[in-house]
C-alpha cells in the first residue's frame, strides 16, 4: 500500500485529472517496487540453485557427505543466508563460519530432539531455546 499526501493550510479542491494522475503515479511506483523485489528474489533463488547443484555434483564425485556440504566455494552456507552452519552426526560436530562451541551445539541438538517434533526452523532461536541468549 502507499500514500501520496499534499498539505495545504486551507482546504483545496483537487481536480479529477490531478487525482487520476496521482493514482497512476502510485500504481507505477508500486509496480516498480514489486518488480525490484521480484528481481532480488529471483537472484537469490538462482544463487541457491547454483549452490545446490555444486553440492549435488560433489556428492556424485565422493561418498563423503561432510565434504560435499563443507568444502569448496559452494557449501552449505551458499544454500542459506547465514554467517555459520554446522552438521552434527552422532558426537561429531562439523562447523563452518561463526558458530557456538561444540558443547553448545550438542546441547541445542539435544534440546531440539526432546522438544521439537520435526524440523526446528525459527528466525529467533532465543524465542524457542532460552539458553541461546
Amino acid at each position: 500500500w502507499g500514500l501520496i499526501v499534499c498539505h495545504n493550510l486551507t482546504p483545496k479542491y483537487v481536480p479529477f485529472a490531478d487525482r487520476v494522475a496521482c493514482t497512476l503515479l502510485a500504481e507505477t511506483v508500486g509496480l516498480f517496487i514489486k518488480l525490484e523485489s521480484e528481481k532480488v528474489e529471483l537472484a537469490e533463488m538462482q544463487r541457491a540453485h547454483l549452490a545446490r547443484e555444486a553440492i549435488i555434483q560433489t556428492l556424485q564425485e565422493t561418498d563423503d557427505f561432510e565434504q560435499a556440504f563443507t568444502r569448496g566455494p559452494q557449501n552449505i552456507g551458499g544454500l542459506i543466508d547465514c554467517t555459520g552452519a554446522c552438521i552434527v552426526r552422532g558426537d561429531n560436530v562439523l562447523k563452518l563460519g561463526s558458530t557456538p562451541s561444540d558443547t553448545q551445539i550438542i546441547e541445542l541438538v539435544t534440546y531440539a530432539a526432546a522438544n521439537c517434533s520435526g524440523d526446528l526452523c525459527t528466525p529467533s532461536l532465543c524465542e524457542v531455546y532460552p539458553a541461546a541468549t
Side-chain angles (χ1 to χ4, degrees):
W1 67 272
L3 178 64
I4 297 176
V5 179
C6 299
H7 294 280
N8 289 301
L9 296 176
T10 59
K12 178 176 169 115
Y13 173 77
V14 179
F16 178 75
D18 291 349
R19 293 193 312 261
V20 169
C22 284
T23 300
L24 290 174
L25 174 65
E27 288 175 2
T28 303
V29 170
L31 289 172
F32 177 76
I33 291 170
K34 181 180 178 185
L35 177 64
E36 290 299 312
S37 175
E38 288 174 354
K39 283 169 46 176
V40 168
E41 186 178 334
L42 180 61
E44 178 62 24
M45 288 172 54
Q46 288 173 333
R47 185 195 59 76
H49 176 74
L50 290 174
R52 202 169 32 252
E53 290 297 316
I55 290 171
I56 290 169
Q57 181 68 34
T58 304
L59 281 170
Q60 291 173 343
E61 294 170 357
T62 180
D63 291 334
D64 189 352
F65 170 81
E66 294 170 351
Q67 179 181 346
F69 278 90
T70 58
R71 294 193 178 91
Q74 296 293 344
N75 55 46
I76 195 168
L79 290 175
I80 52 178
D81 184 22
C82 63
T83 57
C86 67
I87 297 173
V88 179
R89 289 178 63 186
D91 291 333
N92 186 20
V93 178
L94 193 62
K95 300 189 295 185
L96 202 69
S98 175
T99 63
S101 69
D102 288 5
T103 304
Q104 291 171 316
I105 292 169
I106 295 296
E107 288 172 358
L108 174 59
V109 169
T110 303
Y111 173 86
N115 297 292
C116 302
S117 59
D119 297 335
L120 171 61
C121 182
T122 178
S124 176
L125 185 59
C126 298
E127 290 180 13
V128 294
Y129 182 59
T133 55

